[in-house]
Amino acid sequence: MGCCGSSERTKREWRPLEDRSCTDLPWFLLFTVFCVGMGSICGFTIVTGGAARLVFGYDSYGNTCGQRNEPIEGVRLTGLDHTDRKFVFFLDPCNIDIVQRKIKSVALCVSLCPAKELKTYEDLKRFAMVNGSELCSYELAAHKYPGLPERIDKCPKLPVPPSKPLPVFNRCTPVDVSCYAKFAEAVVTFVGDSSVLHRLIAGVAASKEIIIGLCVLALALSMILMVIIRYISAVLVWILTSLVVLGSLAGTGVLWWLYIDHRLYGNDTSPKLPKEAKEEMKAELSADSGQALLVYAVSASVFTIILLLLMLFMRKRVALTIALFHVAGKVFIHLPLLTLQPFVTFLALLLFWIYWILVLLFLGTSGNPEQNEETGLTEFRLTGPLQYLTWYHAVGLVWISEFILACQQMTVAGAVVTYYFTRDKNRLPVTPILSSVLRLVRYHLGTVAKGSFIITLVKIPRLILMYIHNQLKGRENVCARLLLKMCICCLWCLEKCLNYLNQNAYAATAINSTSFCTSARDAFVILVENALRVATINAIGDFVLFLAKILIMTSTAFAGVLLLNYQRDYTEWLLPLIIVCLFSFLVAHCFLSIFEIVVDVLFLCFAIDTKYNDGTPGKEFFMDKALMEFVESSRRLGRAAERGRSRVKEAVSEGAEMKPMAPGTSSA
């Protein structure tokens, strides 16, 4: 597979867009085999009846509703013909197991769900005789319901609430969901009163048009802001940088002022105690407060000094961030279809997640029938080697999701690379995005599969540790808790670093059509050579984009306050406003993450361009005019600094030549 370039030439020569070849083909084949395995799991659930049991429903004896069933050995009341019984009816639908998240009740297949409340066993008998739908266990005769002693255990709990079947899954669901209040309180932990929950849900239902309109507003603001950043990038970056520096200086000054004020005057806030005890407590409190303020002031001072030094060393490189933001805005003007990329990625992820959840539910109703010893009900469980299908399916969720996100990064990188290394922007392909997608599908799916698999190897252990940490909450000791949190934090940091390296590796693959490891190594070398520039762009650029996300969220929230304030009080439109804020931040993150990818790819292209080209004939730059101005400005500053150093050397040498002779060495 050529990992780390063992089979590649030792000295890389960047040849943008010159030749194409398939990369990491074995990984593409491995990913294809894995996807076939994912599809086989779905096929297994369909063949074994798990999918049918989930969709059509099944009773507590293993019979699937709506069809003729085969008898199950060792289980009573199986092998029944339920062709005319298409709905699942629970004898006690409100008996919910919150831990297992399922209904702990006997389920039967019935012909009709009771549309009206049934208060007595006579009502149950009348409903069965009129509609032909028996709501008690199969072995009980409908006309004997009122007089049978076992009716208490094998008939529904009275009164039977009115219910309606779900549109797809054919379960009889109570019309009044108030019996699920306990379950709702367990899920929505911040709700202590069911009336509050009802008002919140009613507020969301009544505000659905406003919520949709505000979500559309967030979309529009995100797209507009990506264009506006191009024109105000210089002012925006310098203002935010100045605010951060001034805020740090002001905070440090306030902390030192509080510390000095505490040392000089102190605060008499101790309670009424005897004089000696009061003086002793006052001294202890004063020492603790003074020490804390000193630690805060010193820490803030160190942070401020480091920040000032960084700004001093990186002040010239801030101009590069501004230029890259400016060029990124031009990229979106030349490639407007980039703005649709988040929609395509979200749609692909949504379709895959829906498929994954359905197959997971299918797996929950697949396997061998087993009788629960506590309840006596029949359940389907995967046993033996089949139980590992769920783990395989879980790994597929992470790997394929990361694969879809990596395809987005490779598509955007390919389009930006094509834009950057095309000298005449008027001769760009008609659809650079479509060309990038075709190159990805034809040549580089293996590279994307390999990069996403590496992220999966880091993400899965982190998710497992997070699950263990939640399961052991309150039972583990302090050392174990700290160790788990430390491991989770380290894996999270490693995942973020690998994500950044993968993104640049995809850009390098789009430029040179090299394998993943070779591209990652080449991109890493370029990034290390430009470490200060990378730090500046990531620090300032990410901060600017984060504030842009906050701006979009607050603007959408402000519009939501104005719109929602006209029709309902605060407690009722609080939840709609929270939904709008979360959605607007998510939308802003999706769009501005595309902008961030464009900036990172542009920087990699710029670093390669400046390394191998100098503007002379035969080595002309590919870069945009804004980046060219930055290069020229840097060269002028470099030449001025060089002239200054040469003048200092000349002055030193002249001083050495004119140095007077030492006393006693002059001739007579």
Side-chain angles (χ1 to χ4, degrees):
M1 296 181 226
C3 188
C4 300
S6 58
S7 61
E8 304 279 348
R9 53 186 179 277
T10 56
K11 187 177 180 181
R12 294 296 310 153
E13 295 178 6
W14 294 83
R15 297 196 299 268
L17 308 175
E18 288 189 10
D19 18 280
R20 290 280 150 198
S21 60
C22 292
T23 56
D24 298 297
L25 186 58
W27 281 94
F28 169 70
L29 297 176
L30 177 63
F31 182 74
T32 303
V33 172
F34 183 84
C35 290
V36 170
M38 291 284 291
S40 301
I41 293 177
C42 181
F44 168 79
T45 60
I46 294 174
V47 171
T48 56
R53 281 189 285 270
L54 177 69
V55 175
F56 300 113
Y58 64 100
D59 60 17
S60 297
Y61 309 104
N63 300 299
T64 303
C65 300
Q67 65 184 35
R68 186 185 298 272
N69 296 275
E70 297 294 331
I72 302 174
E73 185 178 355
V75 181
R76 65 188 187 91
L77 298 178
T78 59
L80 302 180
D81 185 2
H82 286 331
T83 307
D84 297 329
R85 300 172 178 175
K86 299 182 179 180
F87 305 105
V88 180
F89 177 76
F90 297 96
L91 300 188
D92 187 7
C94 297
N95 185 11
I96 299 174
D97 186 351
I98 296 177
V99 178
Q100 299 295 329
R101 297 178 180 86
K102 64 181 181 180
I103 299 176
K104 293 176 61 177
S105 169
V106 175
L108 302 174
C109 294
V110 298
S111 303
L112 189 68
C113 298
K116 296 181 179 180
E117 185 180 36
L118 305 177
K119 299 181 180 180
T120 64
Y121 291 106
E122 286 291 342
D123 293 338
L124 289 176
K125 172 185 174 181
R126 191 177 304 109
F127 180 81
M129 302 302 292
V130 173
N131 300 297
S133 184
E134 301 174 356
L135 302 183
C136 294
S137 186
Y138 303 132
E139 69 266 26
L140 302 183
H143 63 280
K144 297 182 179 180
Y145 284 171
L148 292 175
E150 59 265 41
R151 67 184 184 276
I152 298 176
D153 297 327
K154 297 185 178 181
C155 285
K157 183 179 179 181
L158 296 178
V160 178
S163 59
K164 291 183 179 180
L166 291 176
V168 178
F169 293 100
N170 299 327
R171 268 73 168 178
C172 294
T173 307
V175 176
D176 183 11
V177 296
S178 60
C179 65
Y180 297 143
K182 184 179 178 182
F183 181 73
E185 289 177 7
V187 176
V188 189
T189 54
F190 64 88
V191 178
D193 184 8
S194 60
S195 61
V196 176
L197 178 63
H198 287 303
R199 288 204 305 271
L200 291 175
I201 295 175
V204 173
S207 309
K208 55 183 180 296
E209 294 85 1
I210 296 177
I211 292 175
I212 294 173
L214 291 173
C215 292
V216 174
L217 175 63
L219 287 171
L221 289 176
S222 300
M223 290 187 287
I224 292 171
L225 188 61
M226 286 194 300
V227 179
I228 291 178
I229 287 178
R230 170 194 172 188
Y231 299 100
I232 65 171
S233 56
V235 177
L236 186 64
V237 169
W238 284 116
I239 287 177
L240 292 176
T241 304
S242 302
L243 288 176
V244 170
V245 173
L246 292 176
S248 179
L249 290 172
T252 304
V254 169
L255 286 173
W256 279 113
W257 177 80
L258 290 174
Y259 172 70
I260 294 173
D261 180 71
H262 183 273
R263 288 295 303 270
L264 292 178
Y265 304 104
N267 294 315
D268 190 6
T269 57
S270 57
K272 293 182 178 180
L273 295 171
K275 186 175 181 180
E276 295 79 6
K278 185 175 181 180
E279 291 295 333
E280 184 179 354
M281 179 178 290
K282 183 177 179 181
E284 292 179 358
L285 292 175
S286 178
D288 292 340
S289 301
Q291 186 176 6
L293 285 173
L294 179 61
V295 171
Y296 296 152
V298 171
S299 301
S301 301
V302 172
F303 173 78
T304 303
I305 292 172
I306 294 175
L307 180 63
L308 291 175
L309 290 175
L310 288 175
M311 295 307 301
L312 178 65
F313 285 109
M314 297 191 302
R315 67 188 187 282
K316 298 178 182 178
R317 296 169 178 83
V318 174
L320 177 59
T321 305
I322 297 171
L324 287 173
F325 272 52
H326 184 79
V327 178
K330 286 186 177 181
V331 170
F332 280 95
I333 292 176
H334 283 87
L335 310 178
L337 291 181
L338 277 178
T339 55
L340 299 179
Q341 192 63 38
F343 294 105
V344 177
T345 303
F346 176 75
L347 180 61
L349 286 172
L350 182 63
L351 292 176
F352 170 69
W353 289 340
I354 292 174
Y355 164 82
W356 188 86
I357 292 173
L358 284 177
V359 176
L360 182 65
L361 295 175
F362 293 164
L363 285 172
T365 54
S366 300
N368 301 318
E370 293 184 357
Q371 201 163 14
N372 192 317
E373 296 180 358
E374 296 180 1
T375 61
L377 307 180
T378 301
E379 299 176 353
F380 291 89
R381 296 177 182 174
L382 296 171
T383 57
L386 294 178
Q387 61 185 333
Y388 296 106
L389 292 179
T390 306
W391 290 101
Y392 187 96
H393 194 61
V395 173
L397 172 66
V398 180
W399 191 4
I400 297 179
S401 297
E402 291 296 330
F403 178 83
I404 294 172
L405 293 173
C407 286
Q408 172 185 266
Q409 294 176 350
M410 178 70 87
T411 301
V412 174
V416 175
V417 165
T418 302
Y419 170 84
Y420 188 96
F421 289 107
T422 301
R423 297 187 187 278
D424 187 0
K425 307 305 181 193
N426 296 322
R427 302 185 65 180
L428 284 169
V430 179
T431 54
I433 299 293
L434 182 58
S435 301
S436 180
V437 171
L438 293 177
R439 284 200 304 269
L440 166 64
V441 173
R442 184 176 179 183
Y443 298 111
H444 305 311
L445 284 178
T447 298
V448 172
K450 187 174 183 178
S452 57
F453 180 76
I454 293 174
I455 300 298
T456 303
L457 287 180
V458 178
K459 179 166 286 188
I460 288 179
R462 182 170 66 86
L463 294 176
I464 293 175
L465 289 177
M466 290 175 63
Y467 175 77
I468 294 174
H469 181 265
N470 291 330
Q471 292 297 313
L472 296 179
K473 187 172 291 184
R475 287 181 288 178
E476 78 278 19
N477 56 35
V478 178
C479 294
R481 184 168 62 251
L482 291 177
L483 185 61
L484 277 174
K485 289 184 177 179
M486 188 181 302
C487 293
I488 292 171
C489 181
C490 291
L491 288 174
W492 181 83
C493 294
L494 178 60
E495 181 184 335
K496 294 300 178 183
C497 294
L498 288 175
N499 267 320
Y500 182 71
L501 183 60
N502 279 11
Q503 178 181 304
N504 286 279
Y506 299 147
T509 298
I511 295 172
N512 251 4
S513 189
T514 49
S515 63
F516 176 82
C517 285
T518 303
S519 299
R521 184 198 62 188
D522 296 341
F524 181 76
V525 170
I526 291 291
L527 294 176
V528 170
E529 291 175 353
N530 298 268
L532 288 178
R533 289 177 173 176
V534 172
T536 307
I537 293 169
N538 286 332
I540 298 177
D542 290 351
F543 183 65
V544 170
L545 294 179
F546 173 75
L547 291 181
K549 297 172 189 176
I550 298 298
L551 175 64
I552 292 172
M553 185 184 71
T554 52
S555 301
T556 308
F558 180 71
V561 170
L562 295 179
L563 292 174
L564 293 168
N565 188 48
Y566 287 105
Q567 61 177 8
R568 56 185 57 84
D569 59 313
Y570 181 79
T571 58
E572 291 185 357
W573 52 257
L574 175 62
L575 185 58
L577 192 62
I578 292 175
I579 293 174
V580 167
C581 289
L582 292 176
F583 184 82
S584 60
F585 186 84
L586 177 64
V587 169
H589 174 74
C590 291
F591 277 90
L592 293 178
S593 64
I594 298 294
F595 191 91
E596 185 179 358
I597 294 173
V598 171
V599 171
D600 290 338
V601 175
L602 283 174
F603 172 73
L604 184 66
C605 296
F606 169 78
I608 295 168
D609 197 9
T610 53
K611 181 176 181 179
Y612 293 97
N613 298 311
D614 54 10
T616 58
K619 290 187 176 182
E620 295 85 358
F621 288 120
F622 289 93
M623 66 185 66
D624 189 88
K625 183 179 178 181
L627 293 174
M628 191 77 73
E629 291 175 355
F630 167 79
V631 172
E632 292 299 327
S633 175
S634 300
R635 286 181 174 180
R636 286 195 297 270
L637 292 174
R639 287 194 293 267
E642 186 64 29
R643 285 196 297 269
R645 285 193 295 268
S646 62
R647 288 174 182 173
V648 171
K649 290 180 181 179
E650 291 176 0
V652 171
S653 61
E654 288 177 2
E657 292 176 358
M658 298 176 63
K659 184 177 180 181
M661 301 176 68
T665 59
S666 59
S667 58

